[in-house]
Amino acid sequence: MSAVAGSGSSRRHLTPAWHGLSSASMVLVGDGEGASMFLVDRPGRPVGVVLARGSDVVTGGCSQFSCASKESGQPGSRWIWSDMLRQDPLHVAFARSTHCCKLHFEARRGRFATTARDVQRGELLMKISAAGVVTDPASSQALFDQACAFDRTSPPINLARVGIDPSVVALTVALLEDPAAPVDDAASFLLSHTETLSSADYQGCLQLARNVRRLIAQRRGRGSGHAGATVLESDEGVARLLLAVKSNAHAVLDEESASRDVGLGLYPPACLINHSCSPSAALCFSSGGTVLHVRALCDLKRGQEVTYSYLDEAQLFTPWAQRQALLRAAHHFEPKQPRMREISEGAALCRCLVPADQLARLTKRVHELAGIVSAAAEAAQLAADA
């Protein structure tokens, strides 16, 4: 990995607004495109970040920023040791799941996906294998009950307020017990939104994580468990995974009608696609939820953004204020109303998109005409009475 160029004078800390990425470990190499990288912890190496766009250097949530030339050791714009960088596994997984889409990065927008060529309506954009999927509600509830039963001396955990339900716990356990599942990558690179929790709620998550670790250890004694998962080494690691699953997992819909929830699955590459209330793509599932397909909803020109709706079908057709509140609460970002939907919904609600001064003049004229009509009606009535 060669040194990267950038200006050490311009710094901006990453924020959780990077959809699908953990600001604690993510850095980007290149001018808006190309493979992203993350830092490998090397004692004695400077911790810093990498080039975003132009002279805009982005720091990866690190407490210290060091930008120095490897050769001179002096402050400069070319720096980084290749043994500190490893290719971002989410970027690799995304590239493997598509033949017609690519990822981009912008400092203000973060990651987003576009088409690499013209595509037609209905065309397959991505085919993503599940990192894990659970489809048996009874088994999910049983695992959830077992996890919660380990520590009856502590106050009960308000998991409903955090948004963790039996299927989230069951999917987390399934990931931890599958040697092929990328659990460490999921915990490190998928957003968990831990910063949005109150201290009490986070302590509750740690308590649940401790119980999940006990459950895994118990099941491992019966021949189950993924011994190589680093996240299992601490309550914090499992809590981060639980919250990452909660924030990024997709409800699996039935293959026949695509209208019934039949399970919960985690598909990391799909987490890099942005939301839109006027989506250009839709999700569908096959093979019992083990495969996720992303298909184009309309013809797309090369370079157009690929988006899908984070809301279900019923929510997607609610008024903007409701959709805005749902997206803020569930996904912790500030959504934008597409212009065409704003116009169409305004027309449907009989809101005239006219400048305020013109609307005032029109309103005044309507009242004047109403007065004229009323006066004429009274005159006609008087004439008829006479």
Side-chain angles (χ1 to χ4, degrees):
M1 181 69 199
S2 62
V4 293
S7 168
S9 61
S10 176
R11 308 175 187 178
R12 192 205 329 271
H13 287 278
L14 298 183
T15 69
W18 276 36
H19 171 61
L21 298 173
S22 168
S23 62
S25 56
M26 186 65 204
V27 296
L28 186 83
V29 176
D31 189 18
E33 292 187 23
S36 51
M37 315 292 286
F38 69 95
L39 292 169
V40 177
D41 185 19
R42 304 284 187 193
R45 295 295 201 189
V47 176
V49 162
V50 189
L51 181 67
R53 183 176 288 278
S55 61
D56 212 10
V57 173
V58 181
T59 67
C62 305
S63 58
Q64 295 181 345
F65 181 83
S66 176
C67 183
S69 167
K70 182 177 180 180
E71 291 78 17
S72 66
Q74 299 299 316
S77 63
R78 298 182 64 82
W79 65 285
I80 216 63
W81 281 270
S82 61
D83 64 350
M84 288 184 67
L85 295 175
R86 183 163 72 88
Q87 195 165 22
D88 168 23
L90 286 187
H91 185 106
V92 174
F94 184 95
R96 288 175 177 169
S97 65
T98 182
H99 59 88
C100 59
C101 298
K102 62 181 180 179
L103 285 175
H104 301 265
F105 169 81
E106 291 180 2
R108 289 180 176 81
R109 294 182 60 188
R111 290 277 196 89
F112 60 99
T114 67
T115 54
R117 58 170 175 78
D118 293 353
V119 299
Q120 295 182 335
R121 177 184 177 183
E123 188 172 342
L124 181 65
L125 300 175
M126 299 182 71
K127 182 178 180 181
I128 306 169
S129 296
V133 62
V134 291
T135 57
D136 186 346
S139 296
S140 297
Q141 186 65 53
L143 276 174
F144 181 80
D145 292 341
Q146 290 177 50
C148 292
F150 271 104
D151 191 357
R152 297 191 180 278
T153 60
S154 301
I157 311 168
N158 191 344
L159 296 176
R161 186 170 60 194
V162 179
I164 295 177
D165 59 20
S167 60
V168 170
V169 174
L171 180 52
T172 301
V173 171
L175 290 168
L176 289 168
E177 292 186 339
D178 182 359
V183 289
D184 292 323
D185 290 341
S188 298
F189 286 91
L190 294 176
L191 284 178
S192 60
H193 299 297
T194 305
E195 72 285 349
T196 66
L197 300 180
S198 67
S199 177
D201 287 343
Y202 183 63
Q203 291 302 315
C205 288
L206 288 177
Q207 180 184 336
L208 176 61
R210 183 162 51 252
N211 292 350
V212 167
R213 291 178 68 206
R214 292 174 179 173
L215 176 62
I216 294 291
Q218 183 184 82
R219 292 163 64 87
R220 182 181 292 169
R222 298 196 298 264
S224 180
H226 177 14
T230 304
V231 295
L232 268 173
E233 296 175 359
S234 67
D235 296 342
E236 290 77 10
V238 175
R240 191 166 59 248
L241 180 61
L242 280 163
L243 292 168
V245 169
K246 187 268 294 186
S247 299
N248 294 278
H250 289 78
V252 177
L253 302 179
D254 69 291
E255 298 177 34
E256 293 77 19
S257 66
S259 61
R260 295 184 296 106
D261 287 0
V262 295
L264 189 71
L266 185 65
Y267 311 88
C271 301
L272 302 178
I273 304 176
N274 285 332
H275 163 84
S276 175
C277 289
S278 295
S280 61
L283 310 183
C284 55
F285 301 86
S286 65
S287 304
T290 60
V291 178
L292 168 66
H293 299 272
V294 182
R295 291 191 176 274
L297 283 174
C298 55
D299 292 344
L300 294 172
K301 295 293 185 182
R302 177 183 179 183
Q304 282 190 260
E305 184 172 5
V306 177
T307 60
Y308 71 93
S309 173
Y310 295 178
L311 305 173
D312 63 28
E313 188 172 353
Q315 295 169 335
L316 184 58
F317 292 98
T318 58
W320 167 237
Q322 294 182 32
R323 284 180 280 128
Q324 189 178 38
L326 284 168
L327 290 166
R328 284 172 175 168
H331 298 282
H332 308 286
F333 71 94
E334 189 60 39
K336 292 183 179 180
Q337 168 79 313
R339 178 61 176 164
M340 292 307 298
R341 283 206 65 170
E342 180 182 1
I343 293 173
S344 62
E345 289 177 18
L349 295 172
C350 300
R351 289 203 301 261
C352 187
L353 300 177
V354 176
D357 57 338
Q358 294 183 30
L359 186 59
R361 289 196 297 271
L362 288 171
T363 302
K364 181 180 179 180
R365 183 57 179 159
V366 168
H367 286 306
E368 290 173 351
L369 292 173
I372 293 171
V373 170
S374 178
E378 289 180 7
Q381 185 63 45
L382 288 173
D385 291 342

